[in-house]
Amino acid sequence: MNNQKEEVIQRRLESIKNTYPKAAVFWINGSGESRFIGNRSDDIPEHWTFTDSLVFMEESKFHVDTFLQNKNPQNIYTISALIGNDPNQGVMVLQVPITDTNLGSISLYEDFPFVIFFISISGAFLLISWFFFFNIRKRLVKLQFAMSEMGDEGIPDKVVISKLDEIGRLEGAFNKMINQLKCSRDREKKEENLRKQLIANISHDLRTPLTVMRQHVYSVKKYSTSSAELESLQIVENKLDDMAKMINNLLSYTLLSAGKHPIEMRDTDILDEVRKVIAEWYPIFEEYTFEIDIDLPEKSLVWEVDPIWFKSILDNFIQNVIRHARSGRYIGIQALECHGSTFIVIRDKGKGFNHESEDKGAGIGLSIVSLMAKEMNLDWEVTTSSEGTSIYLGMKT
């Protein structure tokens, strides 16, 4: 309808009116005058001003969301367009009742299948995702439990690989690590058993030459007249005794660590055992002019121990005093009450455990004490300084 006369425009709009009889059709020419197709509407001005145009446009707005919410619904749907795309030719307007359009039937129920489909897909996705992550978490928790649960040998057991995915490869790496640990543990056990067997054999083999040497020293002492010779022979004999004790300690330590040293736990009067040990060492104390300070009550003190092992512990403590604290010329043995428990305390006035001396050994005796005390449920503690050493021995609470 570009550049057409009003008669042509009027006939074209009449054909539109015929096609949509329920629609109200009119147009406004370039001079702002209304031209009606059919009956004239009362709310349409015959001559348009700028203000009339703004009011008409505002009243003709239609919001689908407002209509759907049923808030101030508009009952007329208005369409406007330029005639021939030329503002000078005017504007045509078509107004249709909402009820006669498909806009009037807009309803969420028409989209219900789509909503159901969307919710179903979303729910299925969430459910599958939940099962997926739950399965991953379950396998990771199982692997974590396997890592923290120790087996009979102090090494975790292998896990069963259910899938060859990333977690499956992690489980495979864990099983490989377990194999390496077990191989290393077996190797250590074999080396330890070999070492213990070697120590036991060497200790046994050294006893014979030591016995022969002691016999020869005894024979030479019988025919020696010089005091210097006798003194030298006495030193040799003392060293042979020390070596024999170290060999015995080494053998005892080997048997203890291998679990082959017999133990017989029974109720024992500890104070009576202490007195017996002191009596056995008394000649040695006198030989080295020790001041002996014994403070033991007359009552009994019963512990469940192996008497032979307990005597060995006391012998090791006193032997350490003789060897390392001889310069102090003092040994004190007493029973001390502390926090409801009784401790056997052995004191000396030597230069302390940290003092270096030529008589200082490898500490096998104290290692034997640790093993025996652990097996008999005993606690022991050492406090030492340059003014002396105190050793406390008591039952674990």
Side-chain angles (χ1 to χ4, degrees):
M1 293 186 291
N2 192 24
N3 298 322
Q4 297 295 325
K5 295 180 179 181
E6 288 190 4
E7 294 80 4
V8 176
I9 296 174
Q10 189 78 8
R11 286 196 299 271
R12 179 69 179 123
L13 293 180
E14 287 176 356
S15 65
I16 295 176
K17 173 67 176 177
N18 293 333
T19 305
Y20 303 101
K22 293 183 179 182
V25 182
F26 66 93
W27 63 288
I28 305 163
N29 61 19
S31 300
E33 297 175 350
S34 297
R35 298 287 186 267
F36 298 95
I37 308 301
N39 297 327
R40 174 182 177 276
S41 178
D42 295 335
D43 58 347
I44 302 300
E46 293 186 2
H47 190 83
W48 291 78
T49 64
F50 180 74
T51 302
D52 293 335
S53 301
L54 291 178
V55 172
F56 180 78
M57 292 175 62
E58 182 65 26
E59 291 179 350
S60 299
K61 285 182 179 178
F62 173 75
H63 301 285
V64 176
D65 55 344
T66 302
F67 179 79
L68 291 177
Q69 295 173 10
N70 200 26
K71 295 180 180 179
N72 299 322
Q74 303 290 333
N75 56 3
I76 299 296
Y77 182 59
T78 302
I79 304 172
S80 61
L82 293 175
I83 297 176
N85 295 325
D86 184 2
N88 294 323
Q89 284 190 270
V91 178
M92 62 179 179
V93 179
L94 184 144
Q95 291 182 317
V96 183
I98 294 296
T99 55
D100 294 335
T101 65
N102 56 5
L103 293 175
S105 61
I106 294 178
S107 174
L108 288 177
Y109 292 102
E110 295 182 359
D111 295 330
F112 187 73
F114 174 76
V115 173
I116 294 299
F117 175 77
F118 178 77
I119 293 176
S120 301
I121 294 297
S122 300
F125 175 76
L126 293 175
L127 186 63
I128 293 172
S129 300
W130 183 83
F131 276 113
F132 176 74
F133 288 109
F134 177 79
N135 186 42
I136 290 178
R137 182 182 180 278
K138 181 180 179 182
R139 294 171 65 189
L140 290 175
V141 169
K142 180 181 177 182
L143 182 59
Q144 180 187 10
F145 178 78
M147 289 180 176
S148 58
E149 189 71 15
M150 296 300 171
D152 297 335
E153 299 180 356
I155 298 176
D157 295 325
K158 293 182 180 180
V159 297
V160 178
I161 302 176
S162 56
K163 294 181 180 179
L164 295 178
D165 52 5
E166 287 77 4
I167 298 179
R169 288 194 290 270
L170 180 61
E171 293 170 339
F174 174 74
N175 289 342
K176 184 178 180 181
M177 181 188 68
I178 295 301
N179 286 332
Q180 293 175 348
L181 287 174
K182 288 185 176 180
C183 291
S184 178
R185 182 65 59 85
D186 292 340
R187 210 164 38 244
E188 288 179 1
K189 285 184 177 180
K190 290 179 181 178
E191 293 174 356
E192 181 69 14
N193 292 333
L194 181 61
R195 182 182 64 81
K196 292 176 181 178
Q197 187 63 39
L198 180 62
I199 293 175
N201 292 338
I202 292 176
S203 301
H204 182 270
D205 292 341
L206 287 176
R207 290 173 181 267
T208 301
L210 283 177
T211 304
V212 174
M213 292 169 65
R214 187 180 290 110
Q215 290 174 351
H216 282 283
V217 170
Y218 178 76
S219 299
V220 173
K221 284 178 65 177
K222 288 174 59 178
Y223 300 101
S224 297
T225 57
S226 171
S227 60
E229 292 177 354
L230 290 174
E231 185 177 355
S232 297
L233 290 173
Q234 185 62 46
I235 292 175
V236 173
E237 189 174 16
N238 291 339
K239 292 300 180 181
L240 289 174
D241 289 339
D242 291 341
M243 186 177 294
K245 291 176 182 177
M246 285 190 289
I247 291 174
N248 288 334
N249 283 340
L250 186 61
L251 182 59
S252 297
Y253 178 77
T254 303
L255 293 175
L256 281 170
S257 58
K260 296 181 180 179
H261 203 296
I263 181 172
E264 184 180 349
M265 301 283 286
R266 63 171 183 264
D267 290 340
T268 305
D269 187 349
I270 297 303
L271 299 180
D272 187 49
E273 293 297 325
V274 173
R275 293 187 183 95
K276 291 178 182 178
V277 171
I278 294 173
E280 292 178 4
W281 283 90
Y282 206 87
I284 306 297
F285 295 149
E286 287 188 332
E287 180 181 350
Y288 291 107
T289 64
F290 268 65
E291 177 189 351
I292 305 172
D293 182 13
I294 308 298
D295 184 14
L296 299 175
E298 294 299 328
K299 65 179 182 179
S300 297
L301 177 62
V302 178
W303 291 352
E304 186 180 5
V305 296
D306 184 313
I308 298 176
W309 283 29
F310 185 77
K311 179 181 180 299
S312 179
I313 289 177
L314 294 178
D315 285 338
N316 273 289
F317 286 153
I318 295 175
Q319 184 178 348
N320 271 290
V321 174
I322 299 296
R323 293 183 62 186
H324 308 303
R326 192 183 308 163
S327 60
R329 297 290 191 271
Y330 173 85
I331 185 169
I333 301 177
Q334 68 177 125
L336 179 66
E337 294 283 345
C338 183
H339 301 296
S341 300
T342 303
F343 295 87
I344 303 299
V345 185
I346 301 175
R347 292 189 172 93
D348 63 59
K349 294 182 180 179
K351 296 181 180 180
F353 271 22
N354 298 326
H355 175 68
E356 295 291 337
S357 69
E358 61 179 8
D359 293 326
K360 190 171 185 179
I364 298 177
L366 294 182
S367 299
I368 292 174
V369 169
S370 295
L371 290 174
M372 288 185 170
K374 182 179 179 181
E375 290 294 326
M376 293 191 294
N377 198 34
L378 297 177
D379 266 335
W380 68 287
E381 184 179 350
V382 176
T383 60
T384 183
S385 68
S386 59
E387 297 179 356
T389 298
S390 297
I391 301 175
Y392 298 84
L393 180 65
M395 290 291 294
K396 288 183 178 179
T397 56

